[in-house]
Amino acid sequence: MEFIFLGTSSGSPTKQRNVSGLALKSSRRKSWCLVDCGEGTQHQLLHTPLALSRLSAIMITHVHGDHCFGLPGLLASAAMAGRTQPITVVAPAAIKGWLEHSQQMAETHLPFALNFIDVSQLNSPVMIDAFEISTTALSHRVPSFAYGFAEVVKDRALDVDKLKAEQIPAGAHWGQLQNGQDVMLEDGRRLLATDYLLPPRKPRYIIVGGDNDSPQLLSQKASQADVLIHEATYTMDVADRVGSGPQHSCAKQVAEMAEQSGLRHLILTHFSARYAYSQASQPNISAIENEAREAYSGQLFLANDLDHFRLNQLGELSLINQTCD
Amino acid sequence: MEFIFLGTSSGSPTKQRNVSGLALKSSRRKSWCLVDCGEGTQHQLLHTPLALSRLSAIMITHVHGDHCFGLPGLLASAAMAGRTQPITVVAPAAIKGWLEHSQQMAETHLPFALNFIDVSQLNSPVMIDAFEISTTALSHRVPSFAYGFAEVVKDRALDVDKLKAEQIPAGAHWGQLQNGQDVMLEDGRRLLATDYLLPPRKPRYIIVGGDNDSPQLLSQKASQADVLIHEATYTMDVADRVGSGPQHSCAKQVAEMAEQSGLRHLILTHFSARYAYSQASQPNISAIENEAREAYSGQLFLANDLDHFRLNQLGELSLINQTCD
């Protein structure tokens, strides 16, 4: 599984950070999913290997503009590029009418269908692209959701040690067993495929949160996830000064929940523009990092725009940034 | 008068060119006007000296998304930055309802008023910011307009030669005359201010066109303008291949009209993404330049994103790019 951050700023873009957007894909496929689509998401995509023609689904966490105002332009550009394949859109219901109004106003016609799913009605997991998608209701000024991306593991490895111990020779039989077919050997032995397949590996599972002032809502799911991507708009001192109005998380809150859940990989994003990108300015983004590290002992990342991560089959997370320019 | 190109691409953004947007201001004021607001316009502004707090008016040429999809995000960012001053919006009527729907959908409230003017009802010039704004209906798939920005010249220079010839000594009298006040000299002579003021200089006049397949609609106004900024989406060969559907201009059409009108300064913009930015690729943007130069003998520019121009009081146009990063 791979994902690329298209925007890591809260509310408004800065010179270094666009507003929210995250591309996520199976390493085996060319198709990909987009979580949130702030203004300028299509611009960011120009700096990645991802093509609009391969976009299979868009998930919107909530209706605030910094998470969805890029939708009309992105869809229009997909149309101009000649796309005809439908796109699945999972989003709050109000997005649907607004998208229709945007197309009507601009007198543009999309030559592909939007298969719209109201996120508030998504009560059980659904297969989209390569993933089983599940949602979690969060706490924000408007209904906001986290999207869980769980891979579906179909392939099971052969138990080669057992085959060798039982002196079953390598060859066509092994391939049949791996494909789940039972086998009759020449010596009369009948082999059941399930006896010679190792248990399926643990499916990888990534949670992408929307805006949320209550990270503990994700505690249970985070305990099962390989990666949690969550907003940390402020440090705690700033969150206290700002007050409860904006309903965002501070780094400490998220880090404490991640620690308690035993989460292996935490990626923070959606930073207030007050935290300078440059270490030479105050306050800068290291204030958020330091606060999170104090409470969290797992692998921590603070996302930057165009950061490209890979989560391998062993559940190891790495940054592979050379693919974006 | 100064102006900065915020986007010079047609339809979709490229790595080098954003979709349409142009900032225009009086050099004497900090306030400024925006013509068109494609997606990503607010991002481009971050690389200019212009602040959203000083934006006084937005003019939209037509409803296509590459000219207006940046409006909801730009207005939201102005709100988040604490703006309370109203903004004048001159635009096709459909923009108003769409903006209201966008704010309602995103559950955002603008803490400033939008003073909306339906461009199709703007039958006579109106003062906005430092300029007398007039419109010209163009020819495109949807109603499209050019906006004329004419400065209002109030200051008139003293006719110093005449004052000296009549032996009127320099001093407070000169200042009174320049302010339009008549003067009684100690020797009994009564001086009428209008007799000692030179004719006002020619007001500068810049026309910013919207999408348009019939440049000749601007012939008469171009003959009075200092600068015409006009789309040249294609070269003629490509325009012929594309056919009449998109209703855009080719470089030759615009250049011929400009030549016939005796226009001094022509700036082309809104280039199809097929014309590469790099000279190493084919076709590249020099194809449009070459086609225009063949037909036009005035000063020609092909706009690039963040190009910053100044038109001085003598009507001389220059590129002063060091102000943007």
Side-chain angles (χ1 to χ4, degrees), chain A residues 132-196:
Chain A
E132 191 183 76
I133 304 290
S134 56
T135 59
T136 309
L138 305 175
S139 167
H140 192 49
R141 302 200 296 286
V142 295
S144 181
F145 294 85
Y147 289 92
F149 289 77
E151 70 173 339
V152 178
V153 176
K154 291 182 182 157
D155 51 329
R156 292 171 63 177
L158 267 186
D159 189 345
V160 175
D161 291 342
K162 185 174 180 184
L163 288 164
K164 285 182 177 168
E166 297 183 7
Q167 297 183 319
I168 298 163
H173 297 325
W174 285 33
Q176 288 166 330
L177 290 169
Q178 181 149 31
N179 289 333
Q181 297 167 25
D182 300 336
V183 162
M184 181 73 76
L185 295 182
E186 289 179 6
D187 62 12
R189 278 186 290 172
R190 182 177 162 77
L191 311 181
L192 298 181
T194 50
D195 292 341
Y196 296 89

Side-chain angles (χ1 to χ4, degrees), chain A residues 194-217:
Chain A
T194 50
D195 292 341
Y196 296 89
L197 290 171
L198 292 169
R201 66 177 172 78
K202 181 174 176 286
R204 286 167 284 183
Y205 177 30
I206 297 174
I207 302 172
V208 186
D211 289 8
N212 179 31
D213 69 1
S214 303
Q216 67 277 14
L217 291 169

Side-chain angles (χ1 to χ4, degrees), chain B residues 6-9 18-22 35-38 41 66-67 211 270:
Chain B
L6 303 170
T8 58
S9 179
N18 196 28
V19 287
S20 292
L22 180 92
V35 183
D36 283 337
C37 185
T41 294
D66 57 322
H67 295 255
D211 289 7
H270 196 270

Side-chain angles (χ1 to χ4, degrees), chain A residues 196-269:
Chain A
Y196 296 89
L197 290 171
L198 292 169
R201 66 177 172 78
K202 181 174 176 286
R204 286 167 284 183
Y205 177 30
I206 297 174
I207 302 172
V208 186
D211 289 8
N212 179 31
D213 69 1
S214 303
Q216 67 277 14
L217 291 169
L218 288 164
S219 292
Q220 194 189 348
K221 289 189 173 172
S223 70
Q224 297 157 15
D226 295 289
V227 180
L228 170 65
I229 298 163
H230 199 282
E231 68 131 311
T233 306
Y234 313 117
T235 44
M236 194 169 68
D237 59 333
V238 170
D240 288 345
R241 273 208 307 279
V242 167
S244 58
Q247 291 195 237
H248 287 299
S249 287
C250 70
K252 184 168 192 266
Q253 278 177 283
V254 185
E256 285 180 348
M257 181 279 286
E259 183 70 14
Q260 286 156 16
S261 303
L263 180 79
R264 281 181 67 188
H265 307 291
L266 173 63
I267 308 183
L268 301 178
T269 183

